Amino acid sequence: MARPREFDERDALDAAVECFRQHGLKASSMRDLSEATGVNQPSLYNAFGDKRSLFTAALRHYAATALRERLSRLEQDHTPKEAIRTFFRELISRALSDADMRGCMIVNAAIEVAPHDPELRAVIASYLGEIEQFFLRALERAAEAGELSPDVVPKDMARLFLGLLLGVRVAARAKPNRALLEGMMRPALALLDLPASPRGRGP
């Protein structure tokens, strides 16, 4: 009979996420991860496999909690354009309150891991795709309600906002300055307020 795990897997993954956010995949040793999670190395290996497998599990956990739960909340609690604005306001607030400048695990992985690991690159790209689809759904709903300028192409703007997210996250790790980050955000979000077509009428 297999012995039951003597640790909470969710708590361990939460701690592993923070370790990987702080140090990245390459620089995080299994000893670092053991110390961060409070789980001895043999138990980590038994539960998750090698370091790359633990990273993959932590990335999946981060996407399910920090990403999908947030996107779902924004879609449920806000009108389409306000959901996008709130996404970026929260993004900047989180970046500025991140004293250790750990950044977003998905964005960090896109920079460090994706260029060298085709399998993980596909996983990371899928998570970025989920964010792009969040923007696209909001923009398409705003367009259908006549709240978006007919000059705005929702698919293009969704990709612009994804690029803005990546840029803000990277800039915040190098220079966590509110004026800088808000200055990056304002011109893009201003496109949401271009004159819209009358409700119910197309371009």
Side-chain angles (χ1 to χ4, degrees), residues 188-202:
L189 293 187
L191 298 174
L192 294 174
D193 297 319
L194 291 174
S197 58
R199 185 178 180 85
R201 291 180 57 190

Side-chain angles (χ1 to χ4, degrees), residues 92-107:
I92 289 176
S93 294
R94 289 167 187 247
L96 294 175
S97 64
D98 183 8
D100 294 325
M101 293 186 285
R102 295 163 298 174
C104 167
M105 187 176 181
I106 295 170
V107 176

Side-chain angles (χ1 to χ4, degrees), residues 4 10 37 51 54-55 82 84 87 105 121 131 148 160 172 178-179 191 200:
R10 184 184 177 95
T37 60
K51 184 175 71 169
L54 176 54
F55 179 84
E82 191 57 29
I84 294 174
F87 177 95
M105 187 176 181
R121 181 191 309 147
I131 302 172
L148 201 63
L160 172 67
R178 181 176 292 277
L191 298 174

Side-chain angles (χ1 to χ4, degrees), residues 36-141:
T37 60
V39 178
N40 63 49
Q41 291 186 51
S43 293
L44 282 180
Y45 281 113
N46 288 336
F48 300 106
D50 60 14
K51 184 175 71 169
R52 182 182 179 280
S53 297
L54 176 54
F55 179 84
T56 303
L59 187 63
R60 185 183 306 117
H61 177 69
Y62 183 84
T65 54
L67 174 61
R68 294 189 185 120
E69 289 180 4
R70 181 183 174 207
L71 298 184
S72 177
R73 169 179 57 80
L74 290 171
E75 288 187 306
Q76 291 175 13
D77 294 350
H78 299 282
T79 60
K81 291 200 293 187
E82 191 57 29
I84 294 174
R85 293 190 185 99
T86 303
F87 177 95
F88 283 104
R89 284 196 293 265
E90 290 184 357
L91 176 70
I92 289 176
S93 294
R94 289 167 187 247
L96 294 175
S97 64
D98 183 8
D100 294 325
M101 293 186 285
R102 295 163 298 174
C104 167
M105 187 176 181
I106 295 170
V107 176
N108 295 350
I111 296 170
E112 180 199 6
V113 181
H116 315 292
D117 190 318
E119 184 178 347
L120 279 174
R121 181 191 309 147
V123 173
I124 295 161
S126 74
Y127 295 147
L128 295 177
E130 290 183 37
I131 302 172
E132 181 183 336
Q133 287 300 308
F134 159 75
F135 292 135
L136 181 59
R137 287 192 300 272
L139 291 162
E140 288 180 337
R141 288 198 299 269

Side-chain angles (χ1 to χ4, degrees), residues 142-175:
E144 289 169 1
E147 298 172 354
L148 201 63
S149 169
D151 295 327
V152 170
V153 179
K155 191 169 186 178
D156 290 346
M157 182 169 277
R159 290 170 174 168
L160 172 67
F161 285 143
L162 178 62
L164 177 61
L165 158 68
L166 297 172
V168 166
R169 274 300 194 178
V170 173
R173 295 198 74 183
K175 188 177 180 182

